[in-house]
Amino acid sequence: MKLGIGARITAVFGLGALLLSILMGGLSYFTVRHFLLAGRESAAQQQAFANAVLVRSSLQAGNTPYVALLADTVAGTDAHSVLYHQSKVYVSSLSVNASSIPAELRKVVLAGTAATQTYRTPAGTAEIVVGVPVPSEQAFYFEVFDLSDLDHTLRVLGLTLFGAGVVTTILGIALGRFASARSLRPLADVSRAAGAIAGGELDTRLDADAADPDLEGLTNSFNAMVDQLQERIEREARFNSDVSHELRSPLTTLAASLEVLEADRDKLPVRSQRALQLLSDDLRRFQRMVGDLLEMSRADAGSVDVFLEEVNVCELVQHSVETGMGHMDGRRHGGPPEVRIDPAVRTWRVGVDKRRFERVMVNLMENADHYGGGVTEIAVGPGAGEKVEVTVDDAGPGIDPRERAKVFERFYRGSASGRRGTGTGTGLGLALVAEHMQVMHGGVRVESSPAGGARFVLSLPVLSDGDEPEMES
Ligand code: ADP
């Protein structure tokens, strides 16, 4: 799995803090341990040597018993003595005996050299043993010092450093998260702006004044790029609009002339009649296309105002179907489509541009006519998430699932057009449907109808009491 940049920054900070705390903690622990131990060792050696001198003078004076003397020498300390004298061993306490002295150290001391050793007993207690030979009396004096307190101190120190390390690492991670969020914020702004632009808000720009000085270059070039993009899109839209507009008047003249010819159709020879028919079919298609293109380019140029009105959804659909039928100039197969209304949505209201909604319905009904043998049913019902859905069904060949997203693209004329089309399709109808629905804050999708054909589903947000339809221009 690839880590995101934010996660990586956090990980680097966390790891850095961890390494630093291990280093600092380890260094502090071992330095403190070294000095404490060295101090203890030299104190132990001093004491043991002093006591050895006492032992020697006591032995020289011929004093006995040694145990009392030994007890005296170590009174008030956490040390115990072991004395080897003339192959006898004397101990100052029951807690020590000859086997308390590590064999190695004993060997060195018995050989005549003073030595010190730190070790841990099998029971786990840390101790220092100092061995001092007293050659003049053939005695060997050992003193065992308990290091439990030092051990305890070091353990507490270790735990404290470990705790501090954990806290530092957590702080490092938190700092990393903060730093990554902070450094990625400008990128989040850029991606938000890019998203808005992609969503059609071409006026979006990055705030050059608020930008981080280090990112000034990025901000400026981003804004310059969007300026150019906007200019280009607007120029293209204007061009499209102009072209469509310019085409309209010659087309109207052509259509009028064609009507004159059609009036005298019967007087024409059969070949000319066929040619006239072809001409009028294509001219109609041409006119439709120019009309659709004009509408589309106007929408692209943002020059159309949208007036959303609050209306009852059932009345809206019924009204649009009736008016739509009128526009379809008798091309419908069969009788008027049935509108089935779910009782749940009877009183629901939506904010729509009635003219646009009507165009949407006409478009879908015409398509059902052209490609699906006519509308089988129109239904209004509740949809997911506070939406109302209007479905337009037909019993035709339906739309292949792979084509379902494409049919809403401009100029897309799917495989169905070849099979059943009348040749008047422009491939713009559904693209306009999608645009109209988007402007009205709704959407459109295509599914399979229960009759086996296509089902177009229009969804619109339902207005609750007090909601005003949101205007857009
Ligand atoms: P056109 O002007 O060609 O009808 P549309 O955008 O309205 O353009 O439709 C695009 C394509 O979607 C059509 O060419 C057709 O292949 C397919 N289509 C649209 N409606 C239906 C339908 N009800 N049943 C089957 N195919 C359809």
Side-chain angles (χ1 to χ4, degrees):
M1 193 189 68
K2 199 165 181 291
L3 280 184
I5 189 166
R8 269 182 287 161
I9 293 180
T10 311
V12 166
F13 269 78
L15 218 63
L18 180 68
L19 287 179
L20 215 64
S21 38
I22 289 178
L23 192 75
M24 296 308 288
L27 214 64
S28 322
Y29 179 81
F30 287 106
T31 314
V32 168
R33 185 171 179 270
H34 174 79
F35 282 109
L36 285 183
L37 216 57
R40 267 312 181 79
E41 261 176 25
S42 76
Q45 279 165 352
Q46 274 176 15
Q47 189 178 335
F49 276 100
N51 286 347
V53 171
L54 281 178
V55 165
R56 191 180 56 192
S57 37
S58 175
L59 285 176
Q60 279 168 350
N63 279 353
T64 49
Y66 299 113
V67 178
L69 164 87
L70 291 166
D72 274 352
T73 59
V74 294
T77 70
D78 51 357
H80 304 289
S81 309
V82 177
L83 180 70
Y84 285 65
H85 184 230
Q86 293 173 348
S87 67
K88 278 197 185 138
V89 180
Y90 303 89
V91 293
S92 70
S93 148
L94 287 178
S95 59
V96 289
N97 53 44
S99 64
S100 305
I101 316 296
E104 235 173 278
L105 177 99
R106 191 169 45 209
K107 222 165 89 190
V108 175
V109 177
L110 293 186
T113 320
T116 309
Q117 188 180 340
T118 310
Y119 71 103
R120 207 170 268 284
T121 62
T125 337
E127 292 182 342
I128 294 184
V129 183
V130 185
V132 187
V134 188
S136 59
E137 302 303 317
Q138 280 135 45
F140 302 92
Y141 177 73
F142 295 89
E143 200 160 347
V144 182
F145 296 85
D146 186 9
L147 288 184
S148 298
D149 58 335
L150 185 67
D151 214 26
H152 179 71
T153 309
L154 286 176
R155 198 166 304 139
V156 171
L157 176 71
L159 275 176
T160 314
L161 288 174
F162 178 77
V166 170
V167 171
T168 313
T169 310
I170 292 172
L171 282 179
I173 291 172
L175 192 70
R177 284 189 71 116
F178 173 76
S180 68
R182 188 88 190 74
S183 54
L184 289 179
R185 200 180 298 157
L187 279 189
D189 289 345
V190 173
S191 89
R192 231 190 331 271
I197 290 161
E201 292 172 37
L202 287 177
D203 292 332
T204 313
R205 294 290 180 278
L206 288 177
D207 187 353
D209 298 330
D212 187 304
D214 292 339
L215 297 176
E216 208 173 313
L218 173 71
T219 310
N220 290 343
S221 27
F222 182 90
N223 285 345
M225 180 187 78
V226 183
D227 280 342
Q228 277 191 10
L229 191 73
Q230 185 179 22
E231 223 238 45
R232 204 166 146 178
I233 290 176
E234 284 174 357
R235 199 172 50 217
E236 274 175 17
R238 263 198 312 276
F239 176 75
N240 286 347
S241 172
D242 290 349
V243 168
S244 317
H245 206 82
E246 290 300 320
L247 281 175
R248 263 201 352 179
S249 21
L251 271 180
T252 317
T253 320
L254 269 179
S257 319
L258 208 65
E259 261 174 40
V260 175
L261 282 179
E262 272 177 337
D264 290 333
R265 185 192 187 99
D266 298 340
K267 292 181 201 146
L268 294 172
V270 181
R271 266 170 66 96
S272 305
Q273 277 187 21
R274 283 244 318 274
L276 187 65
Q277 183 59 44
L278 287 177
L279 192 62
S280 82
D281 281 351
D282 264 2
L283 188 67
R284 207 159 285 137
R285 175 156 172 249
F286 202 4
Q287 271 184 311
R288 260 183 61 168
M289 189 187 288
V290 168
D292 285 350
L293 271 177
L294 193 59
E295 184 155 347
M296 207 160 250
S297 54
R298 277 209 206 115
D300 281 353
S303 57
V304 267
D305 287 335
V306 184
F307 296 108
L308 299 187
E309 289 176 67
E310 187 179 330
V311 288
N312 177 291
V313 64
C314 305
E315 285 168 17
L316 170 80
V317 174
Q318 228 127 21
H319 181 261
S320 309
V321 171
E322 279 161 26
T323 349
M325 290 271 294
H327 288 306
M328 284 171 59
D329 36 272
R331 277 182 278 129
R332 267 192 56 74
H333 294 87
E338 197 183 311
V339 180
R340 191 170 53 79
I341 288 171
D342 190 312
V345 304
R346 213 168 278 283
T347 56
W348 286 11
R349 291 166 305 118
V350 285
V352 290
D353 179 329
K354 283 205 254 185
R355 191 190 58 85
R356 284 170 186 267
F357 191 80
E358 207 172 277
R359 298 257 347 219
V360 166
M361 289 304 290
V362 169
N363 231 309
L364 296 184
M365 281 155 50
E366 274 182 352
N367 276 354
D369 252 8
H370 288 160
Y371 309 108
V375 176
T376 52
E377 185 183 77
I378 293 180
V380 190
E386 310 251 313
K387 296 247 165 105
V388 59
E389 287 186 345
V390 181
T391 52
V392 180
D393 290 359
D394 66 48
I399 295 182
D400 190 285
R402 278 167 302 181
E403 279 190 277
R404 286 182 185 169
K406 288 196 202 140
V407 291
F408 296 104
E409 287 171 12
R410 295 175 181 191
F411 295 110
Y412 184 81
R413 302 178 63 210
S415 45
S417 61
R419 292 202 302 272
R420 310 197 50 148
T422 58
T424 57
T426 60
L428 287 172
L430 288 178
L432 269 172
V433 166
E435 268 172 46
H436 287 321
M437 290 311 292
Q438 197 195 346
V439 167
M440 297 190 284
H441 310 293
V444 56
R445 61 176 194 276
V446 61
E447 301 173 352
S448 306
S449 78
R455 158 174 286 184
F456 282 86
V457 186
L458 305 172
S459 65
L460 279 170
V462 178
L463 294 183
S464 44
D465 285 335
D467 264 4
E468 284 290 316
E470 218 176 286
M471 285 296 173
E472 206 172 279
S473 64

